[in-house]
Amino acid sequence: MSAPATPGIALDAVDTPALLIELDAFERNITRLMASIAGRGVRLRAHAKTHKCAEIARRQLAAGAIGVCCQKVSEAEVMVAGGIPDVLVSNEVVGERKLARLAALARHARLGVCVDDADNVRALSAAARRADVALDVYVEIDVGARRCGVAPGEPALALARSIVESPTLRFAGLQAYQGAAQHVRATAERGAAIERAAEAVRTTRGAIEAAGIACPIVTGGGSGSYLFEIESGAWNEIQCGSYIFMDADYARNEWAAPLPRFEHALFVLATVMSRPTPERAVVDAGLKASSVDSGLPLVWGRTGLTYTRASDEHGVIEVASGARAPALGEKLLLVPGHCDPTVNLYDCYVCVRGGMVEALWPISARGAVY
Amino acid sequence: MSAPATPGIALDAVDTPALLIELDAFERNITRLMASIAGRGVRLRAHAKTHKCAEIARRQLAAGAIGVCCQKVSEAEVMVAGGIPDVLVSNEVVGERKLARLAALARHARLGVCVDDADNVRALSAAARRADVALDVYVEIDVGARRCGVAPGEPALALARSIVESPTLRFAGLQAYQGAAQHVRATAERGAAIERAAEAVRTTRGAIEAAGIACPIVTGGGSGSYLFEIESGAWNEIQCGSYIFMDADYARNEWAAPLPRFEHALFVLATVMSRPTPERAVVDAGLKASSVDSGLPLVWGRTGLTYTRASDEHGVIEVASGARAPALGEKLLLVPGHCDPTVNLYDCYVCVRGGMVEALWPISARGAVY
């Protein structure tokens, strides 16, 4: 399939729908996050599930990230192939075929993985032994997201012991991500949720260290909360991903101190393909161009235009009375409701600066769900 | 990226998440639709936006479809490259670059397109002239979906006249798709919506023919309504797409006479990757494995298991008290909420028959949004 643009053309000549990165805003977001954690004794392991792009991962490392997180082995394969030397699969990996792939990757980079089950620890240990590699293993504890993870405290200690007993596994610490807190709208409520999570981390770490097991890393934290994790003192590694792009749903959060507000840097460029009535415009970007799981896209920089309905290949935009109506063929910028699954729809980013296409970056891990 | 399976392996050895076609059900769906329209004087132009796969399109043609619909020029490019000789872009195409691509395709296949704007007719005519091709052009009328399309009657006639005046365009008839009716739950209400649409078609066709312009084809109709279109006598071509796969949202419709009930033939195979509590299982298939725009996926063939929450790479399944709980590593079949955008997440279908992988079919038009 051909790309929707080539470097050097004007933004207005980009074919649509296209996924754009506004490079100036993107770079400011990276700088802003690094400035906010400087001197805090915490390292950034940027989440690559957001962007699925080795080019972006390399830029995050150049700005100071120590490595990346992935959610899938296939994402980790793309990141390692792209030269990222330190990758944590911040997720459980189950099944012999996947464990063999994970272990094979550890020949080329430092590889970490999470566990929440003793049988899985045994399978991981065996896979590492067969591949003759060592793996960093983090015990995932459920700090309020009610997804994966063992309960804090004793259950986590029991898993840590089983990891320490394996000659091929290194107990690296705790995975503690409060995903459910990221989109709680009020900043103070997000802070309170992270403080509850911090208590669970402290209890667990205390139990593990009291058993004579070192717990070097506590990793977690997202773009919506990470400075609360840092202020608690319970984490020494954060896993922010969405900060590079922001999306419409994150923007609905209250952004107050201590958290900086990041800028929208990811857009879907769409064309008005039908103007059937004065109050209705239809764009060529629907469900296959912008994921709607966290809400419809927003029309950017145009008052009175509201994206109200998405079907597979269409977006219906209502034109408020008195608003400047878009003409047939006009291009509009949309802010996706949720950046991660939207990125996963496209094969490349069209990177724009000052109204010109500067580069195309392949989304090499698009569709990497295995 | 490696495929999740190879032909000849057992279903249980397929890596996950994977998109499966149950071939027996898929083939019965194709047969069932063709049987339901046999002898009715109506032809099937199957919608390829559902499957995005030339292999499936060729099977639809072998079963009697006269061609396919696409929604995007890039989809049409894939279908023509895959040997489909007759393609209708059942949508408006706007912008010089896209029109040039559309016209270029008409050198290799019969190509049709829809219009709802006089300026667009002029641009289309110029593009066809530059490419030295002829295009079939359908006037899209809004028959109740409130998306694209001109109003029925005189506005459609005016557009038909402008098409007839162009030496490079052939007026092929009307595009009249009542998309909003497809998921109305009660069969009788769907029938009533199609009868209102039929009135709009009759009025419009009458006005066009009264002006001395032949209107050979009226095309439209979806899997949720097509026999009402046929019974009305106002359509002579139907555009069903989802009938091959069905999905959880279509299954929530009432399916009563005259419409046949199609079978689920599309599944997402997922692995239980975490069993953190007795009442919770987490599978490795979330928002990037099954589109949730029309509801969460259903767990297939297992009572008491309910998929209750999707995040990017996780699906949370609640285990009812007394239900057979899935073990860590166990594989589950999910029925996607909405087939079209789910298909658009994957690079290939894993085609299964009798518990064995029979073939892999590439989803060649995945991501073809341009």
Side-chain angles (χ1 to χ4, degrees):
Chain A
M1 211 129 27
S2 58
T6 46
I9 69 170
L11 171 58
D12 201 56
V14 173
D15 205 354
T16 66
L19 188 66
L20 306 185
I21 296 178
E22 273 286 350
L23 286 171
D24 287 340
F26 164 81
E27 291 167 3
R28 283 193 298 268
N29 285 340
I30 287 179
T31 302
R32 190 170 287 131
L33 184 122
M34 294 316 295
S36 74
I37 66 171
R40 306 292 293 262
V42 167
R43 59 193 210 172
L44 169 67
R45 181 183 286 282
H47 219 309
K49 82 185 186 78
T50 299
H51 53 69
K52 289 178 168 278
C53 170
E55 180 70 40
I56 292 180
R58 288 192 291 268
R59 282 156 192 259
Q60 290 173 312
L61 266 66
I66 57 93
V68 299
C69 300
C70 294
Q71 292 294 75
K72 298 284 186 169
V73 176
S74 49
E75 285 178 348
E77 287 168 339
V78 170
M79 290 299 141
V80 170
I84 306 303
D86 189 340
V87 177
L88 165 60
V89 179
S90 52
N91 204 359
E92 285 68 26
V93 174
V94 171
E96 203 168 309
R97 183 171 160 172
K98 280 196 177 72
L99 290 171
R101 287 164 50 211
L102 181 78
L105 266 189
R107 297 198 191 106
H108 309 288
R110 181 166 195 127
L111 250 289
V113 65
C114 298
V115 296
D116 69 357
D117 180 272
D119 284 343
N120 189 226
V121 171
R122 281 186 281 275
L124 198 56
S125 176
R129 192 178 60 243
R130 279 192 291 270
D132 195 21
V133 297
L135 291 168
D136 288 341
V137 184
Y138 297 74
V139 171
E140 179 165 10
I141 57 173
D142 180 358
V143 292
R146 298 189 305 112
R147 202 168 63 183
C148 303
V150 293
E154 287 301 319
L157 169 59
L159 273 186
R161 282 192 205 278
S162 72
I163 296 164
V164 169
E165 285 162 10
S166 162
T168 55
L169 306 180
R170 293 185 290 250
F171 174 65
L174 299 176
Q175 161 79 9
Y177 175 57
Q178 217 312 12
Q182 301 305 312
H183 294 267
V184 168
R185 296 308 182 208
T187 308
E189 284 179 41
R190 263 175 284 148
I194 300 306
E195 187 42 43
R196 288 190 293 275
E199 263 311 300
V201 168
R202 289 183 202 112
T203 303
T204 307
R205 186 177 183 155
I208 290 170
E209 291 180 343
I213 301 171
C215 183
I217 300 291
V218 177
T219 184
S223 301
S225 71
Y226 71 100
L227 280 164
F228 291 117
E229 274 88 349
I230 292 175
E231 292 192 343
S232 77
W235 282 261
N236 54 9
E237 183 176 280
I238 57 165
Q239 301 181 344
C240 304
S242 301
Y243 73 101
I244 56 171
F245 290 150
M246 284 294 283
D247 56 37
D249 194 46
Y250 257 122
R252 281 186 278 270
N253 274 3
E254 177 196 8
W255 292 89
L259 293 161
R261 191 188 181 96
F262 298 101
E263 299 172 59
H264 292 307
L266 185 79
F267 299 90
V268 171
L269 186 71
T271 297
V272 176
M273 52 173 286
S274 179
R275 282 304 321 276
T277 71
E279 62 283 349
R280 191 195 316 146
V282 182
V283 293
D284 59 356
L287 298 173
K288 295 177 189 171
S290 189
S291 185
V292 302
D293 61 271
S294 302
L296 294 171
L298 302 178
V299 182
W300 183 243
R302 289 289 295 270
T303 53
L305 302 187
T306 309
Y307 190 115
T308 58
R309 189 154 46 98
S311 47
D312 284 339
E313 292 87 3
H314 300 88
V316 174
I317 290 179
E318 282 184 16
V319 182
S321 160
R324 179 160 71 83
L328 189 74
E330 195 171 336
K331 286 173 181 163
L332 297 174
L333 289 170
L334 309 177
V335 180
H338 188 180
C339 51
D340 299 29
T342 298
V343 164
N344 190 48
L345 299 170
Y346 290 87
D347 293 315
C348 78
Y349 296 106
V350 177
C351 303
V352 173
R353 198 189 307 269
M356 301 295 289
V357 175
E358 187 171 300
L360 302 184
W361 291 344
I363 304 176
S364 322
R366 194 225 69 74
V369 285
Y370 309 116
Chain B
M1 210 127 33
S2 57
T6 46
I9 69 171
L11 171 58
D12 201 55
V14 173
D15 206 355
T16 66
L19 189 67
L20 306 186
I21 297 179
E22 272 287 350
L23 286 171
D24 287 339
F26 165 82
E27 290 168 3
R28 283 192 297 268
N29 285 339
I30 287 179
T31 302
R32 190 170 287 133
L33 185 123
M34 295 315 295
S36 73
I37 66 172
R40 307 292 295 261
V42 167
R43 58 194 210 172
L44 169 67
R45 181 182 286 283
H47 218 309
K49 82 186 187 77
T50 299
H51 54 69
K52 289 179 169 275
C53 170
E55 180 69 41
I56 293 180
R58 288 192 292 268
R59 281 156 194 260
Q60 290 173 313
L61 265 68
I66 57 93
V68 298
C69 300
C70 293
Q71 291 295 75
K72 298 285 186 168
V73 176
S74 49
E75 284 179 348
E77 287 167 340
V78 170
M79 291 298 141
V80 170
I84 306 302
D86 188 339
V87 177
L88 165 60
V89 179
S90 52
N91 205 359
E92 285 67 25
V93 174
V94 171
E96 204 166 307
R97 183 171 160 173
K98 279 196 178 71
L99 290 171
R101 287 165 49 211
L102 180 78
L105 266 190
R107 296 197 192 106
H108 309 288
R110 181 166 194 128
L111 249 290
V113 66
C114 298
V115 296
D116 68 358
D117 180 272
D119 284 343
N120 188 227
V121 171
R122 282 185 281 277
L124 198 57
S125 176
R129 192 176 61 243
R130 280 193 291 270
D132 195 22
V133 297
L135 291 168
D136 288 340
V137 184
Y138 297 74
V139 171
E140 179 166 10
I141 58 172
D142 181 358
V143 292
R146 296 187 308 109
R147 202 168 63 185
C148 303
V150 293
E154 287 301 318
L157 170 59
L159 272 186
R161 283 192 206 279
S162 72
I163 295 164
V164 168
E165 284 162 10
S166 162
T168 55
L169 305 181
R170 294 185 289 249
F171 174 65
L174 299 176
Q175 161 80 10
Y177 175 56
Q178 216 314 12
Q182 301 305 312
H183 293 267
V184 169
R185 296 308 181 207
T187 307
E189 284 179 42
R190 263 175 284 148
I194 300 307
E195 187 43 43
R196 289 190 295 275
E199 263 311 300
V201 168
R202 289 183 200 110
T203 304
T204 307
R205 185 177 185 156
I208 290 170
E209 291 181 340
I213 300 172
C215 183
I217 300 290
V218 177
T219 186
S223 301
S225 72
Y226 71 100
L227 280 165
F228 292 116
E229 276 88 347
I230 292 175
E231 292 192 343
S232 77
W235 281 261
N236 54 9
E237 183 176 281
I238 57 166
Q239 300 181 345
C240 304
S242 301
Y243 72 102
I244 55 171
F245 290 150
M246 284 294 283
D247 56 35
D249 195 45
Y250 257 122
R252 283 185 278 269
N253 274 5
E254 177 196 10
W255 292 90
L259 292 162
R261 190 187 181 95
F262 297 101
E263 297 171 59
H264 293 307
L266 186 78
F267 299 89
V268 171
L269 186 70
T271 297
V272 176
M273 52 173 286
S274 178
R275 283 304 321 278
T277 70
E279 62 282 349
R280 193 195 314 147
V282 183
V283 291
D284 59 356
L287 298 173
K288 295 177 188 170
S290 189
S291 186
V292 302
D293 61 271
S294 303
L296 294 172
L298 302 179
V299 182
W300 184 243
R302 290 289 293 268
T303 53
L305 303 187
T306 309
Y307 190 114
T308 58
R309 190 154 47 97
S311 47
D312 285 340
E313 292 87 3
H314 299 89
V316 174
I317 291 181
E318 282 184 15
V319 182
S321 160
R324 180 159 70 85
L328 189 74
E330 194 170 337
K331 288 173 178 163
L332 297 174
L333 289 170
L334 308 177
V335 181
H338 188 180
C339 51
D340 300 28
T342 297
V343 165
N344 190 47
L345 299 170
Y346 289 87
D347 293 315
C348 79
Y349 296 106
V350 177
C351 303
V352 173
R353 199 189 307 269
M356 300 295 289
V357 175
E358 186 169 303
L360 302 183
W361 291 346
I363 304 176
S364 323
R366 194 225 66 78
V369 286
Y370 309 116

